[in-house]
Every structure is written in structure tokens, then in C-alpha cells.
Amino acid sequence: ISRLGWGRNSVYMKLFILEVAQLTSAYHSGGGLVIVAKDIERAKEIIDGYDHHTRPTQDEWDSATIYDLYGDYEEETYFFPDAGCC
């Protein structure tokens, strides 16, 4: 993924997309998690800094979809909790 005006030779950040079984303390506790960080170690640090129930397992990290981002991006975190059935 690239932003116009930036070269495609250097990776500046990564986009991590995870499906997480324990995202919240709600009855339907799973959901999706998106993190923009320079590497997986930094992504894990970002999640560890949140004071809630989000704790992706190693298997969930291993199954993450990861994209290289080219351009000027900042660290971001997005939570997509399971809305449940009712």
C-alpha cells in the first residue's frame, strides 16, 4: 500500500490485521484488530499498553495478515468488536 509522492523502495510501517478470540470482556468477546506499527514487536507493545481484555494469542499473531506500508504513516490501532447475535 503506497501513498503518492513516496518511493516504493523502503518500507516505513506495517499494517497488521488480526482476528482475535479475546478482544473484549463482552459475551461475544471476539473481533478484529488492526494495528499500524513499524514491526510486530512494536505492534505487541502497543496492544500491551491498553488496559482492557485484548490479548492476542501467539497463534493469532502468527495468523495475522501483514501489509507493508510505503509512505508517511503514524501508529494507529483500530478495534472491531463482535456485535453479537442480538
Side-chain angles (χ1 to χ4, degrees):
I1 299 174
S2 177
R3 289 196 177 170
L4 295 176
W6 288 87
R8 298 181 69 70
N9 296 328
S10 299
V11 175
Y12 296 98
M13 296 287 249
K14 293 188 179 289
L15 177 76
F16 299 88
I17 303 172
L18 295 90
E19 186 173 342
V20 182
Q22 186 63 48
L23 187 69
T24 70
S25 62
Y27 179 76
H28 296 282
S29 61
L33 180 60
V34 175
I35 308 161
V36 176
K38 67 177 183 164
D39 54 36
I40 196 164
E41 291 80 17
R42 179 62 187 140
K44 289 179 178 182
E45 288 175 6
I46 291 169
I47 294 306
D48 286 345
Y50 281 92
D51 184 26
H52 53 67
H53 297 275
T54 303
R55 294 294 177 256
T57 65
Q58 187 58 50
D59 285 343
E60 291 167 341
W61 282 109
D62 292 343
S63 297
T65 301
I66 304 170
Y67 294 99
D68 292 333
L69 299 177
Y70 301 88
D72 187 19
Y73 291 89
E74 295 185 20
E75 289 182 345
E76 298 281 348
T77 307
Y78 301 95
F79 298 88
F80 299 94
D82 184 342
C85 60
C86 40

